[in-house]
Amino acid sequence: MKKWWQEEVVYQIYPRSFQDSNGDGIGDIPGIISRLDEIKALGAGIIWLSPVYKSPDADNGYDISDYRDINPKFGTMADMDNLLKKAAECGIKIVMDLVINHTSDEHEWFQKSRDKESPYRDYYIWRKGSPKGKPPNNWTAFFMGSAWEYDKKSSEYYLHLFHKKQPDLNYHNPKVIEEIKDIMRFWLDKGVAGFRCDVINIIYKSSFADGKPTLAIRGIEHYKSTEGNHRILRELRRDVLDKYDCFAVGETVMVDLDEAKLLCDSGRKELDMLFYFDHLEVDRRIARYIPKKFHARKLLSVLAKWQQGLEWNAFYLENHDQPRIVSHYGDDSRYWERSAKMLATMQFTLGGTMFIYQGQEIGMTNFDFTELSQLKDVESHNINALMKRIGIPAKTRWHWINQASRDNARTPMQWSSEAGAGFTSGNPWIGINKNYKKINYQEQKARNDSILAYYKQLIVFRAGNDTLKYGGFKPVYAKGGVIAYQREKVEGNLSTDDEKYLVILNFSKKAARAVFNGTLVLSNIGRDKYDGELEAYEAVVLRV
Ligand code: ISL
Ligand code: CA
């Protein structure tokens, strides 16, 4: 049976960079309310809100100090209630970011937990150091360095898989799970339509033994997609999610297809869908910051693997942790507009629930910063320090960070060509890309051949098209920069249409020849017929 969240397009908002309403340079909830019309006009039916909870912002809100309160930078709980109300009036549902692997070290639970006698001690993961005065084991954090921090107050270490201001909760403690259920109910009772669950496949640590030697994250084999993790997800679904009309999309780090199936096959009653990273890492090495050559053929095989492998996909090309897709797999100079549309064509002809990240719909590009000091992201600064320590030259470091930094997606939304890009009347918390005079919402709204207009067109086309939403996926062609795949009804999937579509995409600056027959239904360059000759970054969809 089809679910409402399979039909909708989800629009991700990174609140601090979306719309400032009071001139302090930080996007906020009233700002979001003022842009609901634009989100509706795009055709999105759900907003996923990156964290707006109370937080000291060591990791831009992914370090929560109170799950039932709003960061004053973003507004008040009254603003949040108002957003839920106004969004509902526009027919838009809101999904919250649920960050439960860790809290902020400024959360009341953690502060109490620093006292060995406190009932909260066991809410976190405390261990004695090794006899040699070293951390309890050799695990490394996702943000580099040891995953353990020594706390003088109780002379023990606590675990933090991310920043030291993000201590990991202890999921061996049933009380922690009950607390999380209460938090979920609090928001569901307010009317939110579900959760995007942050790093949700690493919450249960099954052992604290040393990790295997690796260049990536040391220790991960002891906590990624563990049986205990599955058990907790089933419990959250049974006791909370199943009581509401809502969905849960998991962000699952370093997940492979076999793990993913166990996490989101509908019969297992864990997650409804999940975000994997494979399709954005075909030109990345184990450590995401190190690039390698892009091959379109590789991308096609990754798409095929996940499109065919999962019952239901959550598909995205951008989020607040990833570079902008037009700068990544497209061309953000000469073929900017065309390649952005080509990538949009790919996204909206794949199966699954589609997620768009703010600014993607106008083809926003990576930042134009020229030095590290302009970056805010803690991960970028930490990776730079680490690379420096192991002797990687400054120029290479900057080149890699430039391409992969999370701040690429975090520069303010470019609404107009006015000063402050229509984002703020004040001093923005992070630099605005100087290309806002050329790339902005206002300019594209006025033009019916803009990237924005093309996104709207794709969303409408897909909405009335079961084959694209629910049909099977078949890779049919890969040569040089060109790939092609077919979407069609297959036995057992939810598609009821008999139509077949062939999607041909050129990921290169070179023109190419790829002969297929069919009726042209979509073109990113305004063609009216297709004769087998593809231009640079061209996308063609044929009905066959
Ligand atoms: O960006 C990444 C991988 O491409 C990782 O660095 C990222 O930290 C990881 O995917 C987990 O991300 C989530 O949890 C983090 C938070 O910093 C990210 O913003 C969030 O999306 C810790 O809560
Ligand atoms: Ca503000």
Side-chain angles (χ1 to χ4, degrees), residues 7-10 42-44 315 317 340-357 360-361 454-463 465 467-469 485 487 503 522 541:
E7 294 281 320
E8 299 285 1
V9 172
V10 187
L42 177 64
F315 193 85
L317 290 173
K341 290 179 186 171
M342 182 275 288
L343 291 159
T345 313
M346 174 175 87
Q347 173 161 19
F348 283 88
T349 55
L350 291 172
T353 300
M354 292 300 142
F355 289 75
I356 298 180
Y357 178 69
Q360 182 186 336
E361 76 278 29
Y454 192 72
Y455 265 93
K456 290 181 181 171
Q457 185 195 341
L458 282 172
I459 290 171
V460 171
F461 185 73
R462 179 187 180 80
N465 194 308
T467 305
L468 292 183
K469 280 181 286 188
Y485 51 84
R487 301 294 317 285
V503 181
L522 279 170
V541 181

Side-chain angles (χ1 to χ4, degrees), residues 59 102 143 196 198-199 251 288 320-322 379 406:
D59 184 22
H102 43 267
F143 293 161
R196 174 269 188 187
D198 192 63
V199 298
E251 185 216 26
R288 192 170 59 89
H320 63 293
D321 293 333
Q322 294 290 334
E379 187 189 72
R406 307 194 299 179

Side-chain angles (χ1 to χ4, degrees), residues 103-172:
T103 69
S104 162
D105 64 335
E106 296 180 33
H107 195 291
E108 192 193 343
W109 300 338
F110 186 76
Q111 285 309 318
K112 290 184 173 152
S113 165
R114 294 177 64 201
D115 173 357
K116 272 187 159 162
E117 306 310 314
S118 163
Y120 288 91
R121 183 69 173 175
D122 209 23
Y123 271 43
Y124 294 86
I125 302 168
W126 292 97
R127 291 287 184 279
K128 286 192 188 58
S130 80
K132 287 188 195 135
K134 289 226 184 101
N137 66 30
N138 70 357
W139 294 6
T140 52
F142 283 82
F143 293 161
M144 323 309 147
S146 171
W148 297 93
E149 182 72 11
Y150 185 70
D151 183 48
K152 274 206 191 107
K153 189 164 175 206
S154 58
S155 314
E156 285 189 355
Y157 290 79
Y158 64 86
L159 180 74
H160 62 90
L161 291 183
F162 292 87
H163 194 269
K164 65 176 185 226
K165 283 182 70 63
Q166 292 168 301
D168 281 47
L169 284 164
N170 174 18
Y171 279 90
H172 291 256

Side-chain angles (χ1 to χ4, degrees), residues 507-543:
F507 280 82
S508 98
K509 291 188 176 66
K510 282 196 226 120
R513 191 170 158 75
V515 183
F516 293 98
N517 295 319
T519 317
L520 185 84
V521 290
L522 279 170
S523 160
N524 68 336
I525 60 165
R527 270 185 193 283
D528 47 30
K529 67 175 196 326
Y530 180 63
D531 56 6
E533 303 295 335
L534 275 180
E535 292 184 22
Y537 292 104
E538 187 172 349
V540 166
V541 181
L542 306 176
R543 190 180 282 126

Side-chain angles (χ1 to χ4, degrees), residues 34-144:
S34 74
R35 292 294 184 183
L36 287 170
D37 287 344
E38 283 80 356
I39 297 167
K40 192 177 167 62
L42 177 64
I46 303 172
I47 290 172
W48 147 28
L49 214 54
S50 272
V52 289
Y53 314 95
K54 203 164 164 220
S55 163
D57 281 337
D59 184 22
N60 285 358
Y62 283 86
D63 49 319
I64 299 168
S65 54
D66 188 343
Y67 290 84
R68 291 181 180 79
D69 204 353
I70 300 294
N71 188 336
K73 287 178 189 165
F74 297 146
T76 61
M77 190 57 89
D79 292 324
M80 187 63 212
D81 291 335
N82 197 20
L83 171 60
L84 281 161
K85 184 167 152 267
K86 292 278 166 51
E89 285 166 17
C90 295
I92 294 175
K93 296 182 160 75
I94 307 265
V95 165
M96 298 294 274
D97 216 310
L98 189 69
V99 187
I100 57 170
N101 175 66
H102 43 267
T103 69
S104 162
D105 64 335
E106 296 180 33
H107 195 291
E108 192 193 343
W109 300 338
F110 186 76
Q111 285 309 318
K112 290 184 173 152
S113 165
R114 294 177 64 201
D115 173 357
K116 272 187 159 162
E117 306 310 314
S118 163
Y120 288 91
R121 183 69 173 175
D122 209 23
Y123 271 43
Y124 294 86
I125 302 168
W126 292 97
R127 291 287 184 279
K128 286 192 188 58
S130 80
K132 287 188 195 135
K134 289 226 184 101
N137 66 30
N138 70 357
W139 294 6
T140 52
F142 283 82
F143 293 161
M144 323 309 147

Side-chain angles (χ1 to χ4, degrees), residues 345-390:
T345 313
M346 174 175 87
Q347 173 161 19
F348 283 88
T349 55
L350 291 172
T353 300
M354 292 300 142
F355 289 75
I356 298 180
Y357 178 69
Q358 64 184 45
Q360 182 186 336
E361 76 278 29
I362 55 167
M364 276 179 63
T365 62
N366 279 355
F367 62 58
D368 56 355
F369 300 145
T370 49
E371 52 181 283
L372 195 69
S373 64
Q374 294 166 293
L375 271 62
K376 307 281 183 199
D377 182 21
V378 43
E379 187 189 72
S380 298
H381 286 281
N382 288 0
I383 189 99
N384 182 64
L386 176 83
M387 293 193 301
K388 192 170 173 183
R389 224 177 315 128
I390 60 177

